[in-house]
Amino acid sequence: MSPVRITVSDNNRIPQVLSDLSKAKQKKAKVGYMQDTELSMIASVHEFGARIQVTDKMRGYLASQGLHLKATTTHIVIPERSFLRTGTDANIDAIQAKAQELITDVVNGNVSVETFFEMLGLELKGKIQEYAIDLDNPVNHPFTVERKGSSNPLVDNGGLIQSMEVEVE
């Protein structure tokens, strides 16, 4: 009688999963304004607020546009309208739930670590954009509402919200 040959084949993904988890520790998704542009400056002003000193030139320009400042006005104050930080805080539970849902796809080899972070970044971006569109406080100055034809503090032509980016490092 001849010996029976048995071949055992192991298709476990443990080494790949460990490698993917190691890569994941090094990765992060950033959502916001990565480029130094006029829109990123406007986003920063809304995110943190600003106090702008009124110059004679500015006073003259605003008067020519129909906004006559009081002689005692020395600064224009743009209030904080945090949409990045607060939009993230308001949606962190949903993003963590999405991560829990997607991590199975990474472990099963259906989604790369890079794609995992890209998907989470895009999910957060969408949530922040919704938050920004719905933000209605603090309200715009009546002059601003008249000029742009809308009372939504963060929406004029949509450029600010649409220019938000996702970057995976």
Side-chain angles (χ1 to χ4, degrees):
M1 177 162 163
S2 65
V4 176
R5 292 187 177 216
I6 299 175
T7 304
V8 176
S9 168
D10 185 5
N11 292 328
N12 82 60
R13 290 192 17 82
I14 292 173
Q16 184 61 45
V17 169
L18 292 175
S19 174
D20 287 346
L21 292 174
S22 179
K23 285 181 200 172
K25 288 180 184 178
Q26 310 301 317
K27 295 273 183 198
K28 64 181 170 182
K30 294 179 5 180
V31 177
Y33 301 86
M34 312 313 164
Q35 309 299 317
D36 187 16
T37 65
E38 182 178 352
L39 285 175
S40 67
M41 182 272 302
I42 291 169
S44 180
V45 166
H46 282 295
E47 186 68 21
F48 301 105
R51 183 175 159 88
I52 304 166
Q53 185 171 356
V54 175
T55 63
D56 290 339
K57 184 176 178 180
M58 183 189 302
R59 189 178 299 276
Y61 172 76
L62 291 173
S64 76
Q65 300 300 305
L67 180 62
H68 301 281
L69 299 176
K70 296 176 187 173
T72 57
T73 301
T74 60
H75 290 82
I76 293 175
V77 177
I78 300 171
E80 178 180 310
R81 294 182 177 101
S82 173
F83 64 103
L84 292 168
R85 293 171 294 149
T86 309
T88 298
D89 291 346
N91 290 288
I92 197 67
D93 291 340
I95 298 305
Q96 288 174 340
K98 188 70 169 178
Q100 292 280 331
E101 177 186 318
L102 292 173
I103 197 69
T104 303
D105 289 330
V106 175
V107 171
N108 290 335
N110 299 326
V111 172
S112 71
V113 170
E114 183 85 16
T115 300
F116 170 79
F117 280 96
E118 182 76 19
M119 291 169 77
L120 287 179
L122 289 170
E123 183 80 12
L124 179 57
K125 174 185 170 183
K127 298 283 189 193
I128 293 171
Q129 288 172 323
E130 289 173 15
Y131 184 88
I133 290 167
D134 293 341
L135 187 74
D136 59 3
N137 194 24
V139 298
N140 279 328
H141 186 278
F143 179 77
T144 303
V145 173
E146 182 182 320
R147 298 271 307 196
K148 74 180 199 177
S150 164
S151 61
N152 188 313
L154 295 177
V155 178
D156 188 359
N157 61 19
L160 177 68
I161 293 170
Q162 292 305 316
S163 68
M164 199 178 307
E165 303 170 90
V166 173
E167 185 176 283
V168 176
E169 320 184 308

